Amino acid sequence: MKELLELEESGLRELKDAHYVKSVLYKDMLVLVMKIPGNSDALLKKLSKELSESLKVKVKVIEHTNDIRKVVAQLLSPVRVLGVNMVWLPDGTQIYSVRVLRSDERLFPMDKNSLEELLHLITGEYFTIKLE
């Protein structure tokens, strides 16, 4: 992405060691998946803010990892994820069940069905979000 290169040149030197994995534009939200060495939480937040301002669209930058729970937690932030369970269906397929508090539903970045579809586009797995 051209914007990432511009941010690196304008002062975000931490991006030098970062690797762009992929991006997904879904409805009014852009999700960037990146590999960033070291403790990257502050950098991810700063990067999200800078890209949101320059692209004029809501941007969420998440760290590339094989840990499904971490990906879900980063995407749903600030919503607290109570648990992520794998459910095996009778036809042999698997689906991840994400449990969150019903009171946190108002904090979702988009509606529940859109989040399930966005998680599928990012990870390639199927998800259902359950409110408790």
Side-chain angles (χ1 to χ4, degrees):
M1 267 182 86
K2 180 176 74 170
E3 286 79 11
L4 291 173
L5 293 173
E6 291 171 0
L7 283 174
E8 181 183 350
E9 292 170 358
S10 70
L12 277 176
R13 296 287 176 217
E14 298 91 349
L15 287 177
K16 180 181 174 207
D17 299 327
H19 298 281
Y20 171 83
V21 177
K22 72 177 180 178
S23 58
V24 176
L25 179 60
Y26 186 76
K27 294 191 177 180
D28 62 343
M29 186 175 196
L30 175 67
V31 178
L32 257 68
V33 182
M34 298 187 68
K35 286 183 182 179
I36 301 176
N39 189 3
S40 59
D41 292 339
L43 178 60
L44 293 176
K45 289 178 184 176
K46 185 174 183 178
L47 195 55
S48 293
K49 183 180 177 187
E50 295 286 334
L51 287 173
S52 292
E53 291 173 359
S54 68
L55 296 174
K56 307 288 189 256
V57 67
K58 188 173 185 178
V59 176
K60 197 94 130 148
V61 181
I62 62 175
E63 186 177 359
H64 178 71
T65 179
N66 291 331
D67 184 3
I68 294 289
R69 189 185 196 311
K70 190 171 182 180
V71 171
V72 170
Q74 288 180 31
L75 187 65
L76 295 182
S77 176
V79 174
R80 239 178 338 160
V81 176
L82 299 175
V84 178
N85 302 320
M86 185 187 302
V87 179
W88 293 90
L89 300 176
D91 63 355
T93 59
Q94 63 188 25
I95 187 169
Y96 286 93
S97 175
V98 179
R99 296 182 351 256
V100 298
L101 289 175
R102 186 173 301 279
S103 59
D104 284 351
E105 184 178 15
R106 62 185 171 77
L107 300 174
F108 282 176
M110 56 180 54
D111 67 277
K112 189 174 79 128
N113 292 333
S114 296
L115 283 171
E116 292 170 351
E117 179 65 24
L118 185 56
L119 282 165
H120 173 67
L121 292 173
I122 293 170
T123 64
E125 304 289 343
Y126 290 97
F127 290 85
T128 182
I129 298 175
K130 296 191 181 205
L131 305 171
E132 297 183 351

